Amino acid sequence: MNNPRSDQPSETAKITIGDKVVSCPVVTGVENEKALDISGLRNQTGYVTYDEGYANTASCLSSITFIDGEKGILRYRGIPVEELAEKRSFIEVAHLLIFGHLPSVSEKSAFSKLLTSNCMIHDNMVKLFDNLPSSSHPMATLSAMVVTLSAYYPELIKPEMSAEEMNKIIAELLAKIRTLAAYSYKKSIGEPIIYPKREYKYVENFLHMMFSTPVDEYPLDKEVVDALEKILILHADHEQNCSTSTVRLVGSSKANLFASISAGICALWGPLHGGANQAVIEMLEEIVRDGGDVKKVIEKAKDKNNPFLLMGFGHRIYKNFDPRAKVIKGICDTVLTKLGINDPCLEVAKTIEEAALKDDFFIQRKLYPNVDFYSGIILRAIGIPTNMFTVIFAMGRLPGWIAHWKEQCESPNKKIGRPRQIYVGAPLTHI
Ligand code: CMC
């Protein structure tokens, strides 16, 4: 592998196994992160590395997102996420992640037009919603519908794509996901679906399709649109997390974009990942119902004999603070004040945060509120039902997933993802 930093002197590390010494090239990232390239280890020694949960393993070189978990830094293509949330729209950020730069005025207008013109769903596909039980979790519906796009739009799927064909499939998916997400919700509450409007922007159209009915037009509120826009931006990428790694792993077999993203949606669904925003609100509601005894909850989270975790706390990467959580907390206060909502869950959340940040258990383990701790309270305030929270996360994360899938397709390294294992089962046994 060529070292991505040609300005750095080449460095090697030595691994000694018995009387064998293996030289491993050191790979240095733009921000001076160091990694050992162990790709020759097995051939030279017969050994593989063991790293449960891939906590110390870089699976690729990527130029999309940089995170420094110790310092609480998150940047998309070099730009701090806080700046993007303050100054740019979700569509501009999607363009940045996917194409590597913020769009010019004309690029933005062309990109928006492309998204608007592709937001409709094939009518036969819409009928599929009728056959799903109304009790379907919207994440199940969304992942099923996204992979089903492969069946209804086969002309978009090609083993090798030109730049134009790649842009087309990307725009189709970005445009259609919000329509599919809103339809999933409408079907789950037994209401007729609402078609998107050409004159509405991305987030406005999503809110319109979610909340307008054939008889009532949903009144768009600037603060609500802004809040959702920012939430989507803050979720837009997070380098090699569980769902993005899933998208890359599935994509490495050359599975098409719809199939790869559908797999990512399923990975996101779990409560330790994107499903945490739903789990946080359910936890907060339970605490409020139970009388709001925060001390009891903190003790329960610390009890090693109890599987209970403080949902919305902790992160594999952030060990100081989650920069997204800081912005989200601010939006939470703004939106609730603007909408005049006094949510007891917000009070409980703030009390939990205060108590946990003073508690040795949480301090020693570097457990802080993550992005999901306050996002659910905002989503609830703007009327998004709890089971749609993770769908919102998926809509936000889509540009990141697409950017990683595209980066992998365009990378000269086309190796299929295939980790090793250490077998610990039965030894040879004859029947
Ligand atoms: N409540 C109580 N204890 C916790 C928590 C928590 N939320 N999170 C971690 N711990 C403890 C854990 O029990 C362990 O203790 P010990 O060292 O005594 O065994 C220690 O902290 C380290 O935890 P870990 O499980 O080894 O950490 P991890 O990096 O493998 O897991 C995590 C990270 C996010 C899965 C975990 O912190 C967690 O389950 N949090 C709750 C779920 C959650 O909020 N998930 C959303 C993450 S942010 C959105 C996203 O990017 O997906």
Side-chain angles (χ1 to χ4, degrees):
M1 180 198 290
N2 288 331
N3 199 328
R5 278 198 70 169
S6 49
D7 60 325
Q8 294 277 312
S10 54
E11 209 185 317
T12 50
K14 298 209 182 318
I15 297 178
T16 307
I17 302 173
D19 55 3
K20 233 188 190 136
V21 180
V22 187
S23 282
C24 297
V26 172
V27 182
T28 308
V30 168
E31 299 289 341
N32 254 353
E33 324 92 276
K34 304 269 184 190
L36 302 187
D37 175 356
I38 50 91
S39 50
L41 186 67
R42 188 170 162 276
N43 276 350
Q44 290 179 53
T45 66
Y47 282 58
V48 295
T49 54
Y50 173 58
D51 180 19
E52 207 178 332
Y54 311 121
N56 299 291
T57 298
S59 61
C60 60
L61 298 180
S62 178
S63 48
I64 301 168
T65 287
F66 172 70
I67 300 177
D68 182 330
E70 304 302 327
K71 297 189 184 133
I73 291 173
L74 169 60
R75 298 180 198 141
Y76 301 158
R77 304 280 186 186
I79 307 176
V81 74
E82 300 89 335
E83 267 177 54
L84 290 165
E86 194 191 324
K87 298 180 182 162
R88 296 297 180 147
S89 69
F90 175 61
I91 283 311
E92 288 173 295
V93 171
H95 190 286
L96 170 73
L97 286 166
I98 296 167
F99 302 109
H101 62 276
L102 283 166
S104 63
V105 175
S106 61
E107 280 173 328
K108 185 180 168 187
S109 147
F111 193 44
S112 299
K113 277 198 192 115
L114 200 57
L115 296 186
T116 308
S117 60
N118 286 305
C119 61
M120 301 292 285
I121 306 292
H122 193 297
D123 202 40
N124 286 345
M125 191 173 158
V126 175
K127 293 191 185 98
L128 287 180
F129 281 91
D130 294 334
N131 293 318
L132 289 167
S134 57
S135 58
S136 303
H137 193 288
M139 283 297 275
T141 308
L142 188 69
S143 67
M145 289 299 168
V146 167
V147 75
T148 305
L149 290 171
S150 325
Y152 283 89
Y153 301 90
E155 71 284 1
L156 295 175
I157 301 164
K158 304 204 168 130
E160 298 298 331
M161 277 188 259
S162 65
E164 207 179 314
E165 287 164 339
M166 180 84 86
N167 292 353
K168 172 88 178 120
I169 191 170
I170 287 170
E172 291 268 3
L173 182 54
L174 269 174
K176 286 180 176 27
I177 198 164
R178 77 194 140 158
T179 314
L180 292 173
Y183 285 7
S184 310
Y185 171 61
K186 283 296 191 192
K187 280 293 155 189
S188 75
I189 56 167
E191 274 188 13
I193 57 174
I194 298 293
Y195 289 112
K197 282 190 173 191
R198 282 200 185 278
E199 65 271 30
Y200 279 172
K201 294 191 179 133
Y202 195 88
V203 171
E204 292 172 344
N205 238 334
F206 173 68
L207 289 166
H208 160 69
M209 287 188 281
M210 281 283 292
F211 298 126
S212 290
T213 68
V215 285
D216 282 316
E217 184 79 7
Y218 173 72
L220 289 167
D221 178 307
K222 188 182 170 312
E223 306 276 346
V224 168
V225 173
D226 274 4
L228 192 51
E229 193 99 45
K230 286 184 169 54
I231 288 179
L232 295 181
I233 292 172
L234 293 168
H235 285 85
D237 194 42
H238 214 238
E239 49 115 306
Q240 309 310 317
N241 53 84
C242 175
S243 57
T244 305
S245 298
T246 300
V247 169
R248 287 189 84 122
L249 190 61
V250 174
S252 77
S253 75
K254 289 195 183 290
N256 72 63
L257 178 66
F258 300 137
S260 306
I261 299 294
S262 172
I265 293 171
C266 291
L268 185 75
W269 192 0
L272 296 190
H273 190 12
N277 53 14
Q278 172 169 348
V280 169
I281 275 291
E282 286 165 356
M283 175 189 82
L284 294 174
E285 282 173 344
E286 174 73 33
I287 298 169
V288 170
R289 264 197 306 275
D290 208 32
D293 189 347
V294 166
K295 219 169 152 210
K296 187 169 120 193
V297 174
I298 296 277
E299 289 313 311
K300 198 162 117 186
K302 288 158 55 175
D303 181 357
K304 288 285 153 200
N305 297 317
N306 194 322
F308 174 80
L309 292 172
L310 205 48
M311 298 313 285
F313 257 74
H315 201 277
R316 170 64 60 80
I317 304 287
Y318 295 119
K319 300 296 174 196
N320 185 343
F321 67 93
D322 180 339
R324 306 166 299 172
K326 270 196 166 178
V327 181
I328 292 254
K329 194 175 174 189
I331 307 171
C332 190
D333 283 330
T334 313
V335 169
L336 266 67
T337 309
K338 167 74 204 314
L339 299 179
I341 292 175
N342 186 5
D343 187 343
C345 285
L346 179 60
E347 284 320 302
V348 167
K350 285 183 172 171
T351 318
I352 289 179
E353 179 180 355
E354 212 178 299
L357 296 185
K358 281 195 272 195
D359 191 295
D360 274 352
F361 177 94
F362 292 87
I363 295 169
Q364 276 161 15
R365 289 168 181 76
K366 301 187 172 171
L367 302 171
Y368 298 88
N370 59 48
V371 67
D372 291 319
F373 196 60
Y374 287 102
S375 62
I377 297 174
I378 308 173
L379 295 176
R380 199 158 85 131
I382 63 184
I384 308 277
T386 314
N387 65 358
M388 282 292 288
F389 289 2
T390 315
V391 169
I392 304 286
F393 193 154
M395 281 173 56
R397 185 55 55 87
L398 183 63
W401 289 333
I402 293 175
H404 283 273
W405 184 85
K406 181 170 177 281
E407 183 177 69
Q408 182 170 262
C409 287
E410 292 169 350
S411 158
N413 178 6
K414 303 268 191 244
K415 258 187 191 283
I416 188 168
R418 205 310 184 182
R420 291 270 167 181
Q421 65 162 20
I422 307 295
Y423 176 69
V424 292
L428 177 63
T429 312
H430 293 291
I431 49 169

